[in-house]
Amino acid sequence: MRRALLTLGLLFLWAPILLMSAYAFSGSRVPFEWGGFSLRWFQALAANERLLEAAWLSLRIGAASATLATLLGLALGWVLARHGRFAGRPLFGVLAGAPLVLPEVVMGLALLLLFVGLQALTGWPAQRGAVTVWLAHAALGMAYVAVLVQARLAGLDPSLEEAASDLGASPAVVFRTITLPLIAPSLAAGWLLAFTLSLDDVVLASFVSGPGATTLPVYLFSQLRLGMTPEANALAVVMLAVAGGLGLIAWMLRLRR
């Protein structure tokens, strides 16, 4: 019974992905119609400069926003886990976790009003584009990283840090040599989660992006109105292959250890 339920669950999750991957090799122009085996859509993908530019922009914004979110989330999680009670802590914790529960539409509108207000007061940003999308995605991912870091710090044995301090290590040395290596897995997980959220986002980018800063999800969403082609399926196959290859490398490195 358990195996049957597990099999049904895996089929439910993977059947749409496998079907999409199969139709990427179809010769038909209709995305979900089989027209014989063909690689024409992979060739069309390689020649589609706008789609590739949007994909490259999404990767750059995703990496940059995940890095900023990891740094900010580390500081946020550290304060919540290590500084105990202080004035305004409940409100600080609620505001820090707000992006986890707020609808993205609300957050996107709030960020849009923020950028418009800043432009009126200071002249920055001159126009909405890649920088505003980067900041919006970092603000979203920061909350997720903070939760992971806070949970990891709460589970650490404080005697390890206390022993290093008793031996004369400064707080900076304790953090660099003891705390940081112990929370490194949570930071890596937070970075990957923030990167995935950025790469997948449509709503926030729709609010805060501008001309010349169209991310891949926004580009694909806009293509639905004009008529999607199997190039999107081909792109999905390429992304699955890259992600699967990276996962395989990580698994092999773990086995060697």
Side-chain angles (χ1 to χ4, degrees):
M1 184 64 181
R2 293 180 180 178
R3 292 184 179 180
L5 291 176
L6 178 61
T7 302
L8 288 175
L10 291 175
L11 285 175
F12 179 79
L13 290 173
W14 281 96
I17 298 175
L18 295 176
L19 284 174
M20 177 188 63
S21 301
Y23 282 120
F25 298 93
S26 170
S28 174
R29 182 175 179 79
V30 180
F32 301 104
E33 177 181 293
W34 185 253
F37 182 84
S38 175
L39 297 176
R40 61 176 292 196
W41 299 114
F42 290 92
Q43 298 173 351
L45 174 64
N48 192 331
E49 295 183 359
R50 289 191 60 192
L51 193 150
L52 293 178
E53 182 181 351
W56 176 236
L57 178 63
S58 290
L59 291 174
R60 285 185 290 149
I61 291 177
S65 63
T67 302
L68 181 59
T70 301
L71 295 175
L72 297 177
L74 171 60
L76 189 58
W78 177 269
V79 170
L80 292 174
R82 283 289 187 263
H83 287 268
R85 295 184 179 276
F86 54 86
R89 188 186 190 284
L91 179 60
F92 183 78
V94 170
L95 294 177
L100 298 174
V101 296
L102 278 178
E104 288 194 24
V105 173
V106 175
M107 189 172 176
L109 180 59
L111 288 170
L112 173 61
L113 294 176
L114 172 64
F115 291 135
V116 171
L118 286 174
Q119 184 179 16
L121 291 174
T122 67
W124 182 90
Q127 62 179 3
R128 294 184 297 277
V131 174
T132 54
V133 176
W134 166 53
L135 294 175
H137 287 178
L140 176 63
M142 175 182 63
Y144 291 86
V145 177
V147 170
L148 293 174
V149 172
Q150 183 183 3
R152 179 60 176 165
L153 287 172
L156 291 182
D157 185 359
S159 62
L160 298 175
E161 297 169 314
E162 292 172 359
S165 298
D166 292 340
L167 293 172
S170 65
V173 173
V174 172
F175 178 80
R176 187 179 70 253
T177 59
I178 304 297
T179 309
L180 188 59
L182 291 175
I183 65 174
S186 63
L187 292 177
W191 191 95
L192 291 173
L193 180 58
F195 177 79
T196 303
L197 289 171
S198 174
L199 198 63
D200 181 60
D201 175 71
V202 175
V203 179
L204 288 183
S206 298
F207 276 96
V208 301
S209 63
T214 303
T215 60
L216 179 62
V218 174
Y219 175 84
L220 293 177
F221 188 76
S222 65
Q223 289 299 303
L224 290 174
R225 303 177 183 178
L226 304 176
M228 185 72 75
T229 66
E231 291 178 29
N233 297 342
L235 178 63
V237 170
V238 173
M239 296 177 69
L240 284 172
V242 172
L246 293 176
L248 180 61
I249 293 173
W251 178 68
M252 293 176 65
L253 292 175
R254 184 175 180 181
L255 286 180
R256 288 185 179 181
R257 291 182 180 178

